[in-house]
Amino acid sequence: MTDFTAALATFAAGQVSTTAQARIVTSLSVLDWMAVGRAGASEPVSCIVRDMVLAEGENAQAHLFGGGAAPQRGAALVNGTISHALDYDDTHFAHIGHPSVAILPAALAVAEWDDRILVDLLEAALVGMETSIRVGLWLGRGHYQAGFHQTATSGAFGAAVAVGRLLGFDKVQMRSVLGLTATRAAGLKAQFGTMGKPYNAGLAASAGVEAAVLVQRGFQPNADALEGTYGFGATHQGAADQSALDGLGDEWLFETVSHKFHACCHGLHAALEAARALDIAEPEVAEIKIKTHPRWMSVCNQLWPTTGLGAKFSYRTVIAMQALGYDTALPGSYTDKICADPRITSLQDRITVEADENLSETQAHLALLRRDGVRREATHDLMTPMSLSDREDRVRVKASKLIGSDEADAIWSMLRTGGRARDLAERMAG
């Protein structure tokens, strides 16, 4: 049987041949992460976790979203939590995880403290995010369905690998850091809908820093604790799917990461993109029928939400918002007031949602009946390849809406032309 840990360690510690697309997508994910992190810096969960870490008053080694600095491990905890506070970060549907919020906070904290150049940070982050996806695939869907949060579990392994790469680990050390992370990776879906969900991302980033620094100092764990009878996979409903290694080192699965262009549950995005293609406008709408994969019916099909948070989990509300001209890309669009708007509730009455097992989890189908009797239909799949130019345009527009065009352009220029990790970190406070 293939030794999964050894294969990952060899990949993580070795020379990698990255593709131009993988490098650009990584840079876009960093821009996206910076924008959603800064936008989420004042959320209640952000303030609680940041204040806790700052109150410890230790060495100021790495910058924090919202201001201040903390030791690397604390910074990873804070920045991982804050950047997932709005749930507006990237998603990889192969294992249903959010790679950037687990890996980037760990990698940037260490890269800033070690005064590394951005090229080193980006490569380490890419290797870490690819590792998290591969671990997630190895664990399998059963791991997620059992109640484990892949962002927190597989993400912790990716964070540890990214930090290990920045610290110059060889494959023996990489194997050790994977083994040690196996006893620290944790996070439950039971926290969804609470402050515990973004905290899970912070836990993954913090665990990655901790495990790597301990191994750097000579800590000797069971290096095979990811696998084996009492290993992480066996005790966490892992499938041990060795096909997760297919193409490792040659094919970069991270290239197909999905960026969020609407500030709501990712389960709603395919429907919003289909509506976008139909150019739906309220005065023309007689009826809209939405079809989606059955799993989303219990996740984001609130029929009459009364709060802004509830609106983010309601097909009928977000489609009504889009038809009425609300910008679904702005977190501030989702308010309690929106839910009570008579124009929204009137349009909701004309929107129906039903499950369709023939659709994948990343697809949605919309059928529009206009008041003039014209019928139009559109299907969208979030996995449909997007050109790099289109992806860049949309990520940069999103970032501009969240932090302003000048800041978004400055960060993007820095990522594309080079500089030091510290230069990027210094922009976290806004």
Side-chain angles (χ1 to χ4, degrees), residues 52-76:
M52 179 193 74
V53 170
L54 287 174
E56 294 173 353
E58 298 181 32
N59 296 330
Q61 298 176 333
H63 285 79
L64 307 177
F65 283 123
Q72 298 163 73
R73 182 173 51 162

Side-chain angles (χ1 to χ4, degrees), residues 242-267:
Q242 300 294 345
S243 68
L245 294 173
D246 292 351
L248 182 65
D250 297 317
E251 179 184 1
W252 293 90
L253 300 182
F254 185 71
E255 290 180 355
T256 58
V257 73
S258 181
H259 294 100
K260 280 189 171 185
F261 301 121
H262 308 277
C264 55
C265 177
H266 223 146

Side-chain angles (χ1 to χ4, degrees), residues 158-173:
V161 159
V163 175
R165 193 167 180 90
L166 287 168
L167 297 178
F169 282 7
D170 59 25
K171 63 183 179 182
V172 173
Q173 291 171 301

Side-chain angles (χ1 to χ4, degrees), residues 91-99 129 132-137 140-141 144 150-151 154-155:
T91 306
H92 204 286
F93 286 106
H95 68 307
I96 312 183
H98 299 266
M129 291 190 284
S132 74
I133 296 167
R134 301 290 181 154
V135 171
L137 290 172
R141 184 58 59 88
Y144 185 79
Q150 284 270 35
T151 301
S154 63

Side-chain angles (χ1 to χ4, degrees), residues 156-406:
F157 293 97
V161 159
V163 175
R165 193 167 180 90
L166 287 168
L167 297 178
F169 282 7
D170 59 25
K171 63 183 179 182
V172 173
Q173 291 171 301
M174 281 295 190
R175 186 164 185 150
S176 290
V177 83
L178 288 166
L180 182 55
T181 303
T183 208
R184 289 287 283 116
L188 299 176
K189 287 165 63 180
Q191 296 294 347
F192 284 16
T194 75
M195 291 183 180
K197 186 176 190 286
Y199 181 64
N200 281 347
L203 288 176
S206 177
V209 172
E210 179 179 304
V213 171
L214 286 172
V215 168
Q216 182 191 41
R217 290 174 175 271
F219 194 102
Q220 297 182 6
N222 175 359
D224 296 317
L226 177 56
E227 301 175 86
T229 304
Y230 297 111
F232 187 85
T235 57
H236 289 70
Q237 299 293 312
D241 185 352
Q242 300 294 345
S243 68
L245 294 173
D246 292 351
L248 182 65
D250 297 317
E251 179 184 1
W252 293 90
L253 300 182
F254 185 71
E255 290 180 355
T256 58
V257 73
S258 181
H259 294 100
K260 280 189 171 185
F261 301 121
H262 308 277
C264 55
C265 177
H266 223 146
L268 302 174
H269 288 214
L272 283 163
E273 290 297 307
R276 188 169 177 260
L278 291 176
D279 194 24
I280 291 174
E282 190 279 333
E284 303 172 349
V285 176
E287 179 181 88
I288 298 173
K289 292 185 178 180
I290 303 170
K291 292 184 179 181
T292 186
H293 186 274
R295 84 176 298 267
W296 298 118
M297 296 296 285
S298 62
V299 176
C300 48
N301 189 35
Q302 293 189 28
L303 297 180
W304 298 105
T306 58
T307 67
L309 178 59
K312 294 183 178 184
F313 293 87
S314 171
Y315 280 104
R316 301 201 316 167
T317 304
V318 298
I319 296 299
M321 288 172 61
Q322 189 175 68
L324 284 162
Y326 289 97
D327 191 343
T328 56
L330 291 175
S333 294
Y334 304 81
T335 64
D336 298 357
K337 185 177 180 180
I338 281 286
C339 296
D341 186 337
R343 298 179 304 158
I344 292 286
T345 56
S346 174
L347 188 49
Q348 283 174 324
D349 282 334
R350 288 172 264 156
I351 301 172
T352 58
V353 186
E354 62 183 64
D356 186 343
E357 293 183 351
N358 294 315
L359 294 172
S360 73
E361 293 179 344
T362 58
Q363 292 178 314
H365 177 81
L366 262 64
L368 166 67
L369 173 63
R370 297 193 336 190
R371 293 186 187 276
D372 60 7
V374 173
R375 294 182 181 274
R376 298 181 61 198
E377 298 185 17
T379 299
H380 187 83
D381 189 339
L382 297 177
M383 294 304 291
T384 300
M386 180 183 293
S387 71
L388 277 178
S389 60
D390 285 348
R391 187 191 289 258
E392 178 182 334
D393 287 345
R394 295 197 68 180
V395 170
R396 293 181 67 182
V397 167
K398 171 186 172 180
S400 295
K401 289 180 179 180
L402 293 176
I403 60 175
S405 57
D406 288 346

